Amino acid sequence: MRIYFKNLDGIRFIAALLVVLHHAQFFKGRYGLGSLDFLHHTLETGRTGVNLFFVLSGFLISYLLMEENEKSGTINFKNFYIRRMLRIWPLYLAYGISLTLLAPFVFTKLGFPALTDMGTILTNLLFLLLFAVNFQLAFFPYNTGILEITWSVCVEEQFYLLWPLVLLLFRNRLKQLFVSMLALGVLSKLLLFIIPSVFNVPTQRMLDINYLMLFDKLELFGSGMFGAYILFHRHRYTAFLQKFFTRPMQWLMLSITVLVVFNVLKSEFVSHYYLDNFIHAGLFAYLMMAAVSENCVFNLEYPVLRTLGKVSYGIYLFHTPVCQLVMLAFMKVFTNLHSIVVYDLLYPAVCVGVTCIIAYYSYELFEKHFLKLKTKFAFLHTRI
C-alpha cells in the first residue's frame, strides 16, 4: 500500500529554506556585511523552520504508525527503527564523521575558528555517534561552528526512539496523549521562570539548555500527531473539517502563518521564552491538514518543489558549511564591496543554489541506495 500526501514535499523544502536563509543572514552579521536592516528581523527564521520540521515529523510518522496499527493490529518496532536508520543514519554519519575529522583543519586554514586538538575531535565524534549532539551543546565542550546543525537531527532520533512505543501504549487515548504533551510543554516553559530564581542559575543558560532538549519540543511533535489523528479519523470529524477548512479560513490561517514566520507578528517576551512554540504548533498542524485537503488553497505540487523537498534533509545538513565557504569566497572576490546587491541578494541566492545542488547529488549518488533498502521494511510505502 502506498501513501502520498500532496504538498508536503514543498513544505519540507520551505522549512529547509527558512533555515538556510537564517544562517546566511547569521554569517553576514558576523562580518558586518549587507545593508538592509530589516533583514535582520525578517530572516531570523531558522528556529521557525526547525519547528516546522518537528511538526511535519510528528504528523507524518504518527499517521503512518496509526495506519500500520489499524491494518495489522500492532506496530513492528524492528522494521520501524530499520526504516528510520536507513533514512537518517547514512547521510548523518557520512556528513558528521567527515566534518568532525576534516573540518577543524580545513576551516582553520580558511580562516574560520575551529579547535584541532585530538581531545575535542574525539569528544565531538563520541556525541555524534551517540546521536547526543544536543546534550553536548547543552552540557559539554564543543567545537563551535562545525556540527551544531545536527542537534535537531539528534532530537528527532530521540523522538523516533520513543514514539512507536508511546503511540502504541496510548493508541486508544491519543487525545489524552496530546493534552499530556501540551501540559509537559507548558511545564518545560514554566521551569524557565522557576529554576533561575530558585537555584540561582542564569536565565539565558536555562533557555539555551531547554531549547536543545526533546521535552521542549513536545507541543510541536504532539500537534503534528493530533493533526494526523484528526485526518486519520476524518469520518468522525466531518463537521469540524468542513467548518474550519473552508477556503476563506485557509487563506486567513495561511496569512497569519506567513506573518508569524517572518516575525511581523512578534513579541520579544513570547519568542525569548520559546512560548511561540505553541503558536507554531497550532499554525503548522493546521497547515499540514490544509495542505493535504481536497480544497487546499495553495499548490506546491510542482516537480522542482517536489524534488527539492525530497532532498531537503541534505539541504538542511549541508547548508552551514556551504554558507561559510560561500561567505569566504565572496569576501575574497568582492573585496571592499559591501553592496546590497552582493550580500543581501546575491549571497543568500548562491548559498541556496549551491546547497540545493550538493543535496541533490548527495541524494542521487548516495542516499538513494539506502532508501531502496528501506522499502523492504516498509508496511506502507512512502518517501519519508
Side-chain angles (χ1 to χ4, degrees):
M1 179 178 179
R2 179 172 293 275
I3 290 181
Y4 176 74
F5 292 108
K6 67 175 184 177
N7 290 322
L8 294 195
D9 277 333
I11 291 175
R12 195 183 273 116
F13 169 65
I14 290 171
L17 178 64
L18 291 173
V19 180
V20 178
L21 292 177
H22 164 77
H23 282 110
Q25 182 66 29
F26 170 80
F27 288 114
K28 282 164 50 184
R30 174 182 285 183
Y31 294 97
L33 300 169
S35 306
L36 296 178
D37 290 337
F38 77 91
L39 290 179
H40 293 282
H41 303 287
T42 58
L43 291 187
E44 294 176 358
T45 52
R47 186 162 65 86
T48 306
V50 171
N51 285 352
L52 180 52
F53 271 125
F54 289 148
V55 175
L56 184 59
S57 291
F59 179 84
L60 288 169
I61 294 299
S62 298
Y63 190 94
L64 295 177
L65 290 176
M66 290 176 200
E67 191 75 45
E68 180 177 351
N69 180 66
E70 177 78 11
K71 294 290 193 298
S72 68
T74 188
I75 293 171
N76 189 315
F77 290 87
K78 184 187 78 169
N79 284 355
F80 173 82
Y81 292 129
I82 291 174
R83 291 195 303 271
R84 292 296 88 203
M85 288 167 61
L86 289 170
R87 180 66 189 101
I88 303 297
W89 287 28
L91 184 59
Y92 171 86
L93 293 175
Y95 169 87
I97 292 172
S98 299
L99 216 58
T100 300
L101 298 178
L102 299 177
F105 303 98
V106 173
F107 277 73
T108 298
K109 291 290 185 182
L110 294 175
F112 288 102
L115 299 176
T116 59
D117 63 282
M118 190 55 63
T120 300
I121 292 173
L122 291 177
T123 300
N124 291 342
L125 190 60
L126 174 65
F127 282 96
L128 176 85
L129 295 176
L130 292 175
F131 286 86
V133 173
N134 57 325
F135 284 94
Q136 184 185 10
L137 286 169
F139 301 110
F140 297 95
Y142 196 74
N143 188 356
T144 303
I146 300 300
L147 282 173
E148 285 98 331
I149 197 66
T150 60
W151 75 268
S152 62
V153 179
C154 295
V155 169
E156 290 231 16
E157 284 296 281
Q158 292 153 21
F159 168 71
Y160 294 148
L161 181 64
L162 300 172
W163 195 236
L165 178 60
V166 171
L167 212 60
L168 193 61
L169 290 175
F170 285 85
R171 57 184 165 183
N172 297 320
R173 295 170 292 152
L174 290 179
K175 287 184 283 189
Q176 291 91 327
L177 174 60
F178 172 61
V179 173
S180 299
M181 294 177 77
L182 286 184
L184 289 172
V186 171
L187 178 61
S188 76
K189 308 303 184 291
L190 288 176
L191 292 175
L192 296 177
F193 297 92
I194 297 172
I195 291 178
S197 59
V198 174
F199 296 99
N200 197 30
V201 178
T203 301
Q204 190 58 53
R205 174 67 175 152
M206 276 302 305
L207 287 167
D208 293 341
I209 292 173
N210 185 74
Y211 177 66
L212 295 163
M213 297 296 109
L214 174 60
F215 54 73
D216 180 62
K217 316 303 177 190
L218 293 180
E219 61 270 20
L220 298 165
F221 289 117
S223 68
M225 178 277 291
F226 192 61
Y229 170 81
I230 293 176
L231 180 66
F232 187 76
H233 298 287
R234 50 191 172 274
H235 58 283
R236 301 181 191 172
Y237 299 100
T238 303
F240 168 81
L241 294 171
Q242 289 177 344
K243 181 177 181 179
F244 288 98
F245 288 85
T246 62
R247 293 180 69 84
M249 180 63 74
Q250 288 185 53
W251 278 119
L252 174 62
M253 294 295 288
L254 185 60
S255 300
I256 295 173
T257 300
V258 171
L259 293 175
V260 168
V261 165
F262 289 102
N263 293 318
V264 177
L265 301 177
K266 183 177 182 180
S267 166
E268 292 294 341
F269 177 83
V270 168
S271 61
H272 182 69
Y273 286 98
Y274 308 134
L275 298 175
D276 53 355
N277 275 14
F278 295 97
I279 298 172
H280 293 164
L283 289 174
F284 295 159
Y286 184 94
L287 179 67
M288 301 298 130
M289 297 174 66
V292 302
S293 66
E294 292 182 1
N295 65 331
C296 181
V297 297
F298 58 87
N299 177 28
L300 302 178
E301 287 294 291
Y302 297 100
V304 64
L305 290 178
R306 290 181 63 176
T307 298
L308 291 171
K310 183 172 62 177
V311 304
S312 59
Y313 179 40
I315 293 173
Y316 183 79
L317 283 183
F318 287 121
H319 82 273
T320 47
V322 169
C323 287
Q324 293 181 69
L325 293 172
V326 171
M327 172 57 69
L328 186 65
F330 267 56
M331 290 173 64
K332 289 185 178 297
V333 173
F334 301 103
T335 307
N336 299 322
L337 182 60
H338 298 171
S339 73
I340 292 174
V341 172
V342 171
Y343 285 104
D344 288 319
L345 300 177
L346 184 60
Y347 169 68
V350 172
C351 289
V352 172
V354 172
T355 303
C356 290
I357 291 170
I358 294 173
Y360 174 79
Y361 284 104
S362 167
Y363 182 89
E364 290 293 327
L365 301 177
F366 180 69
E367 298 168 66
K368 187 180 283 188
H369 299 293
F370 298 95
L371 295 178
K372 289 178 181 178
L373 295 175
K374 175 175 166 277
T375 59
K376 297 180 180 179
F377 302 93
F379 179 81
L380 300 164
H381 294 286
T382 69
R383 281 212 303 263
I384 69 169

